[in-house]
Amino acid sequence: MTAALPDAALDQLFRAARTYNAFGGEISDQTLHQLYDLVKFGPTEANTTPARFVFVKSQAAKEKLGPALSEGNFAKTMAAPVVVIVGYDMRFHDKLPYLFPHTDAKSWFEGSPEERMYRVALRNSSLQGAYLILAARALGLDTGPMSGFDTDKVDEAFFKGTAIRSNFLVNLGQGDPASIFARSPRLGFDEAARIE
Amino acid sequence: MTAALPDAALDQLFRAARTYNAFGGEISDQTLHQLYDLVKFGPTEANTTPARFVFVKSQAAKEKLGPALSEGNFAKTMAAPVVVIVGYDMRFHDKLPYLFPHTDAKSWFEGSPEERMYRVALRNSSLQGAYLILAARALGLDTGPMSGFDTDKVDEAFFKGTAIRSNFLVNLGQGDPASIFARSPRLGFDEAARIE
């Protein structure tokens, strides 16, 4: 039987981890590869792994992203060492001959209604986005996930001519503790869950 | 600066963790509460936390769930100590006066088109489902996430008369190493990501 991780690790991943609104530090390309090499192993439906990630790091890439951000997300994102665009590929099934080689999994999705493709792509890219948040924390980085931006503008600026659509954004860096808001309440077990 | 977790923890969470297809062991209600008390802290859009969890543990509850399962998921799920139904509440905004008390966040969603409510609920409950998978691994449990089931049947059996809809299932227990399939390939960094 596998043991639970020590309390300090549970704190780092969940209990003491917070959403930051100001970031410093630098993140090397090597760290971003290390991050992806954890994220990629997280489970997805039929190993579809539909998430596509753009690590926005240069001034030029930030200038492309800036006009898509909501006012409240602009300054902190422009100043963060890296902001990740978590996208999803609506043609994720094109890669299934490689990703799920033991059967013709591509045929499970080819020609499916857009509504189903959207559900699979959105759900599984969201799982992978959550893996990214927790993997970043596991590597000692702080995170600031955001959905306040214009998805059409991001798609036009970063994914034009592809079937990739943006899902959400995650600022990465060393969080400034002064930028944390007071923690909002959470639902108690009985409000969000039950044991049957 | 926060340090990265030790390699053994990264292995337990990501690299050595696998999807199991047979489970033993027992899971106490106390462990399920401990699990929820980690999951609840994971970040969601405007703290919406739309996921709702049913921990299916009793024989009676399993018999309600069984007819909804795909053939390939039936036996392993009936035998697992616990299977979690991860659902999403399409009326998640009803709880925002409690969850996001510093402003009238409920009005951001009330009356929104169903398409937008679905996107927020599906995306954020999927994030929370991913937090559950990694929190379970952090507590030393093994997991088996599944999407092969009839969502209408699960909604009818477990969420009738509510605005809660099922997203996916996760078997929990002590995984049998003999039940693991060979690991499927993952996309290389350059196929799924880029640094700009």
Side-chain angles (χ1 to χ4, degrees), chain A residues 59-68 78 153-154 157-158, chain B residues 194 196:
Chain A
Q59 192 57 33
K62 285 196 182 161
E63 281 168 16
K64 280 204 298 183
L65 178 62
M78 290 297 104
K153 283 186 186 168
V154 168
F158 289 92
Chain B
R194 67 179 193 265
E196 275 202 23

Side-chain angles (χ1 to χ4, degrees), chain B residues 109-185:
Chain B
F109 299 100
E110 186 74 60
S112 280
E114 166 121 3
E115 185 188 328
R116 180 188 176 217
M117 298 304 288
Y118 174 72
R119 183 175 172 95
V120 174
L122 185 70
R123 171 166 56 190
N124 288 286
S125 69
S126 297
L127 293 179
Q128 292 183 275
Y131 303 147
L132 179 125
I133 292 168
L134 293 185
R137 290 173 173 179
L139 292 178
L141 296 169
D142 296 309
T143 68
M146 298 172 288
S147 53
F149 68 101
D150 184 321
T151 55
D152 289 342
K153 284 187 184 167
V154 168
D155 295 351
E156 172 76 16
F158 289 91
F159 302 127
K160 194 173 179 174
T162 75
I164 304 172
R165 306 285 171 261
S166 48
N167 187 349
F168 64 99
L169 308 176
V170 186
N171 282 328
L172 296 180
Q174 299 303 322
D176 175 358
S179 73
I180 303 175
F181 300 135
R183 188 163 230 164
S184 292

Side-chain angles (χ1 to χ4, degrees), chain B residues 5-139:
Chain B
L5 296 182
D7 263 327
L10 300 178
D11 287 345
Q12 181 169 332
L13 292 166
F14 295 102
R15 294 187 294 225
R18 299 295 313 279
T19 289
Y20 288 78
N21 292 293
F23 298 87
E26 287 186 18
I27 302 177
S28 68
D29 290 1
Q30 189 189 358
T31 298
L32 297 177
H33 277 79
Q34 196 184 1
L35 177 62
Y36 177 74
D37 281 338
L38 296 174
V39 172
K40 72 180 181 185
F41 286 126
T44 55
E45 181 173 353
N47 201 32
T48 46
T49 57
R52 302 292 178 264
F53 303 100
V54 182
F55 296 101
V56 173
K57 194 172 165 182
S58 69
Q59 193 55 34
K62 284 196 183 159
E63 281 167 18
K64 279 202 299 183
L65 178 62
L69 298 171
S70 70
E71 199 184 329
N73 287 334
F74 182 80
K76 65 183 176 188
T77 304
M78 291 296 104
V82 171
V83 50
V84 192
I85 303 171
V86 180
Y88 51 90
D89 189 348
M90 288 288 282
R91 298 249 0 139
F92 61 84
H93 49 301
D94 285 339
K95 296 196 186 291
L96 285 176
Y98 172 72
L99 290 170
F100 205 83
H102 40 294
T103 187
D104 180 15
K106 185 177 175 184
S107 69
W108 300 345
F109 299 100
E110 186 74 60
S112 280
E114 166 121 3
E115 185 188 328
R116 180 188 176 217
M117 298 304 288
Y118 174 72
R119 183 175 172 95
V120 174
L122 185 70
R123 171 166 56 190
N124 288 286
S125 69
S126 297
L127 293 179
Q128 292 183 275
Y131 303 147
L132 179 125
I133 292 168
L134 293 185
R137 290 173 173 179
L139 292 178

